Amino acid sequence: VALLAQVSVSTASRALSGGHYVAPPVRERVRAAATHVGYQPNEAARGLRTTRTMTIAVLTVGLRTLPFLDFLDGFGAHAEAAEYTVLLANARNSEQQYRFLVGRLFERRVDGLLLVNPGELHEAARPFQETARPVLAAFGRGPSNASIPLVTTAELDAVRQGMHRLKSLGHTSIAYFDQAVALQSSRPGYVARAAAECGIACRVAMTDPDADGGVIRHNLVNALAAPTPVTAVAVTHGLVPQFIDAVRSLGLKIPGDLSVFTFSDSALIDPLIEPRLAAVHNDLVEMGGRTAKILIDWICDGVEPANVTDLGLSSWREMPSLGWSRLSGG
Amino acid sequence: VALLAQVSVSTASRALSGGHYVAPPVRERVRAAATHVGYQPNEAARGLRTTRTMTIAVLTVGLRTLPFLDFLDGFGAHAEAAEYTVLLANARNSEQQYRFLVGRLFERRVDGLLLVNPGELHEAARPFQETARPVLAAFGRGPSNASIPLVTTAELDAVRQGMHRLKSLGHTSIAYFDQAVALQSSRPGYVARAAAECGIACRVAMTDPDADGGVIRHNLVNALAAPTPVTAVAVTHGLVPQFIDAVRSLGLKIPGDLSVFTFSDSALIDPLIEPRLAAVHNDLVEMGGRTAKILIDWICDGVEPANVTDLGLSSWREMPSLGWSRLSGG
DNA sequence: CTGAAAGCGCTTACAG
DNA sequence: CTGAAAGCGCTTACAG
């Protein structure tokens, strides 16, 4: 490019970047030459010089949850608007793979890292923290990761709302079904807490991430056969298909036999479920965008976010599955 | 590192890479020093020197289709096994974003690029092709992209099987519902062809990618009210929720009123549909792995794949939704 | 087997 | 405003 425009590489570089301290005619000449040759800067080389790769990574433990795709959309949209490329690394439920990926990401010198639900995988982020590179956690984190700033849409209030509704409907014993994604989540904790606050007994049933329908069904049968049988169930999004399947195969009616609510509804599967499921709804697209902003601001301005940022994007969504139809005679 | 081990950087480099042409004791000393300092190579710098970034990119037009996640899992697993990092770029249904991303990917000098269903977006890949960098298409491609090698699991045979079943059940007029994802797919074409071969009339209804349930319902009503009313529907995976919703709201029974089959079943939503839907099933995890292999082999060995590679991973999956229960008296 | 040197493609003080 | 020069962190012929 420099050759063609008959200037030095330094001048060319200046013309192509800011364009300051370059005579306008020269600048135009360089730019014309650049487009003519189809010049594309080499980001890697630039990164080497500036020590900034303009890349941020999202490290996830699994990619199969629909709501997370919403999050990714929001995150990606904001990141790209800020000229950042996002590298999506998926550990596919393997701790080993997770550690391996952190290494790769570090090698690539990504400018920032987002850990999605890192649970107790704390050694993982250490290389980043040691080099003072921004690392953020989203959704949840284990106690040992308490030093990693967390972005969350605290669901507790919405969960409380749901519990109050259950209480007012007369429920006193419920169950919460979740997946133990090789990582610890804090949700079972506050679900149980919110239930307790309302004087509702809550049994938590955790299953393997790859548990089949049989396991869920088994858990459901157990919950219904307990000394104080469960009359309502809260179920995490990823387990909804197996759960609904179990409910049907047992011949149970929602909400006739069981009130049900879920977390993070998804337009992709919700229309398939009759009746519609009440939910702790999260605006995940928005959360994604806000999370990207926090991370990028940290990278650019060096302002470390608060230890926990509550985006307040959760809300309670009432639906017939809770018992509404029964009470209102609808 | 070199300082600590008291050797030159060249020796250090050799010790850390192959380890050849280095005296064993020296090699060990360097390696010990490296782990001691927690040395992590800078991939960008290495890439600058070797002109290989060990990164491959997957460019998609939308990330919201479940089956595609299976593909990604398979692709990622193989790529990582081969030491490649995969960069996932999502154009979110925007052509403009698509072009923009190709630019970014090129800037990053990814070693290879996978275009997922690029349709007619052909100018996009040009910078890569001009620099002789491997570009592969998966699933489908528009005619103007015929020069980009394609990896596919040709569905035609399975579709034919399905059509024969419909024929034997007495259907003579069917509809195919698909989404026009801003890009052209070849599927409507061969679905119609397979139908014609069996002497079945097939009307194709394409909808916007973000069409709501109302549109699908409208299309369905139209198909049923045609001069020769449709008695069976084939529906693309992404439209299943809206379609089922429409069927229910119209009070139609499957397979009583309508035989139905779909494409690319997904364990995430299938259990929610009653009765189970017949499908042209694709082993997408496997396809992902094989596609990654083809791309990486091309990068490493320079062997350009055939213009179209048919992986043969499609099969016909019979389910009650087709009418089986009615005929067999099940 | 080892070290000094050049270079990958860029950016950025530093002198003109 | 512009050019010559140094350097980002690595690798790889090229001499020893």
Side-chain angles (χ1 to χ4, degrees), chain A residues 49 174 289:
Chain A
R49 185 67 247 241
I174 71 167

Short mmCIF file of all heavy atoms in Angstrom, two decimals, chain A residues 49 174 289:
data_model
loop_
_atom_site.label_atom_id
_atom_site.label_comp_id
_atom_site.label_asym_id
_atom_site.label_seq_id
_atom_site.Cartn_x
_atom_site.Cartn_y
_atom_site.Cartn_z
N ARG A 49 1.63 -5.31 18.55
CA ARG A 49 2.20 -4.01 18.83
C ARG A 49 1.45 -3.28 19.95
O ARG A 49 2.03 -2.69 20.84
CB ARG A 49 2.15 -3.17 17.53
CG ARG A 49 2.83 -1.81 17.62
CD ARG A 49 4.32 -2.02 17.80
NE ARG A 49 4.71 -1.56 19.11
CZ ARG A 49 5.58 -0.58 19.33
NH1 ARG A 49 6.20 -0.01 18.33
NH2 ARG A 49 5.87 -0.22 20.54
N ILE A 174 -43.30 -28.18 48.21
CA ILE A 174 -42.97 -28.15 46.78
C ILE A 174 -41.62 -28.80 46.53
O ILE A 174 -40.90 -29.16 47.46
CB ILE A 174 -42.93 -26.70 46.26
CG1 ILE A 174 -41.69 -25.98 46.82
CG2 ILE A 174 -44.20 -25.94 46.62
CD1 ILE A 174 -41.40 -24.68 46.12
N GLY A 289 -26.29 -7.74 26.50
CA GLY A 289 -25.75 -6.45 26.08
C GLY A 289 -25.11 -5.70 27.24
O GLY A 289 -23.99 -5.19 27.13
#
